[in-house]
Amino acid sequence: QDRVTMVATRRAKRAASSASKKTGYVFCLLLAAQYGLQPFLKVFIADGVNKVSLVLGTELAKVLIGVVGMLLDGSLASNFAGWNPRGAAFAVIPSLIYAAQNYLLVFGYQSMDSITFNCLNQSKLVSTALCLYLLFGTKQSVVQMVALAGLLVAGVMLQDGGGDGGSSSKGKSSSSDAELAVGVAAVIAASALSGVASAACQYAMQRIGTPAHVFTLEMAFVAIPALLVSQAGLIAEDPAVLFRGWDARTLIPVFASAFGGICVGQVTKNLGGIAKGFAIVGGLVLTGLAQGVQEGRWLETRTLVALVLVVSCVW
């Protein structure tokens, strides 16, 4: 009877593992699509919309999606079973960093073409590796060091917007050279903050053992009041001004961004961190193809070389 029980247990584990992988593959595809197409969704954001309101909307969408997801799979009670305020305090620093990072990213992707934005955003891997080394002593292999150097080279190549025929001449963006330079600086700063926040999250989750879904909600609950406080002057004058310019279409990029965060957690949970890298590679390729279709021409040589370099380094 014990043997029969062991066989049944093994079969159940294999079935659960198979189901977990299938779920992971689905979210991996969704993450690639979201990552690749997110920069194009800026067309749904009206000119003059408060960028802080977009970050605030994304945090609220994360809470909604996260809670609904846990309710659907019945994990809400179990995830919060061991919750305590002391452990939640570890979410404060990364949540504030991510809020600042998201603001910079919103500013950045409205200032440049989609492929330049997504490639530049990969420089966050360099800052993440540096922060993990300083905080945990995690060293990179020679191959990883070469890949990180390649990302830096690609970033340098793209700092003028990806070539003469980039977003400043034929793309959707009509930004001046000065605005483009500020946008590039914003994305690079956001990538640096991403490394600090990622290391802080890893430290908190390893130290406290907080479930990923719960930690995401904790960060959102810290970021939301902080964002509201940052806009206290505007809200005091006229609460409606915070979301002025919003319409139903504005919810598309907001919920897409929030959904991307949920996808990252599901892919990491069911397939591991390497699969996330594959999804990013797929997203970068999709961005390149989509921008080529949008502009009706091949990408500029410099942009194409940078895209291949980033894909190779992330891979």
Side-chain angles (χ1 to χ4, degrees):
Q1 187 175 359
D2 289 342
R3 186 173 181 180
V4 172
T5 302
M6 289 176 61
V7 171
T9 301
R10 287 189 192 132
R11 287 179 178 174
K13 286 182 178 179
R14 280 197 295 267
S17 177
S18 177
S20 177
K21 286 184 178 180
K22 288 179 180 178
T23 300
Y25 292 143
V26 170
F27 277 100
C28 196
L29 291 173
L30 292 173
L31 177 59
Q34 182 273 331
Y35 188 85
L37 299 177
Q38 180 73 37
F40 297 96
L41 300 182
K42 62 187 176 184
V43 298
F44 297 116
I45 301 173
D47 292 336
V49 168
N50 188 329
K51 293 178 176 61
V52 174
S53 73
L54 296 173
V55 180
L56 178 61
T58 300
E59 295 299 328
L60 291 169
K62 285 181 183 177
V63 173
L64 179 61
I65 295 173
V67 171
V68 170
M70 285 189 284
L71 286 173
L72 290 176
D73 65 15
S75 64
L76 183 63
S78 60
N79 278 330
F80 281 94
W83 186 88
N84 63 82
R86 183 181 178 186
F90 280 85
V92 173
I93 293 177
S95 68
L96 297 178
I97 294 174
Y98 272 128
Q101 176 208 351
N102 289 334
Y103 175 83
L104 291 170
L105 289 178
V106 168
F107 187 90
Y109 80 64
Q110 290 183 315
S111 305
M112 66 189 70
D113 62 274
S114 302
I115 191 63
T116 301
F117 170 79
N118 265 354
C119 286
L120 275 177
N121 196 27
Q122 291 313 300
S123 60
K124 64 187 177 184
L125 297 177
V126 179
S127 63
T128 300
L130 177 61
C131 290
L132 288 176
Y133 173 73
L134 294 175
L135 191 57
F136 296 103
T138 304
K139 297 181 179 180
Q140 307 297 316
S141 67
V142 175
V143 173
Q144 289 171 324
M145 292 294 289
V146 171
L148 293 173
L151 289 174
L152 288 175
V153 172
V156 172
M157 293 175 65
L158 291 167
Q159 284 194 32
D160 66 348
D164 294 338
S167 61
S168 60
S169 61
K170 291 189 69 175
K172 286 282 185 181
S173 174
S174 59
S175 300
S176 66
D177 290 342
E179 290 173 329
L180 179 60
V182 173
V184 170
V187 175
I188 293 175
S191 297
L193 288 176
S194 178
V196 177
S198 295
C201 286
Q202 184 170 330
Y203 177 80
M205 295 179 73
Q206 288 183 353
R207 179 86 175 263
I208 305 299
T210 306
H213 287 306
V214 175
F215 196 70
T216 298
L217 293 181
E218 289 174 345
M219 289 197 297
F221 284 129
V222 172
I224 290 169
L227 291 167
L228 290 173
V229 168
S230 74
Q231 300 295 295
L234 285 175
I235 296 173
E237 293 179 7
D238 180 7
V241 75
L242 182 60
F243 290 97
R244 183 170 295 165
W246 275 58
D247 55 30
R249 299 191 312 160
T250 312
L251 295 174
I252 296 174
V254 166
F255 272 87
S257 179
F259 182 67
I262 302 298
C263 287
V264 168
Q266 289 294 330
V267 170
T268 304
K269 173 185 175 182
N270 294 298
L271 296 178
I274 294 177
K276 176 189 171 185
F278 290 147
I280 290 174
V281 167
L284 287 168
V285 173
L286 179 59
T287 302
L289 292 174
Q291 184 166 313
V293 171
Q294 181 189 51
E295 297 182 356
R297 62 186 178 87
W298 289 100
L299 298 176
E300 294 295 321
T301 302
R302 181 180 296 186
T303 304
L304 187 60
V305 171
L307 173 61
V308 173
L309 184 58
V310 171
V311 168
S312 301
C313 293
V314 174
W315 185 277

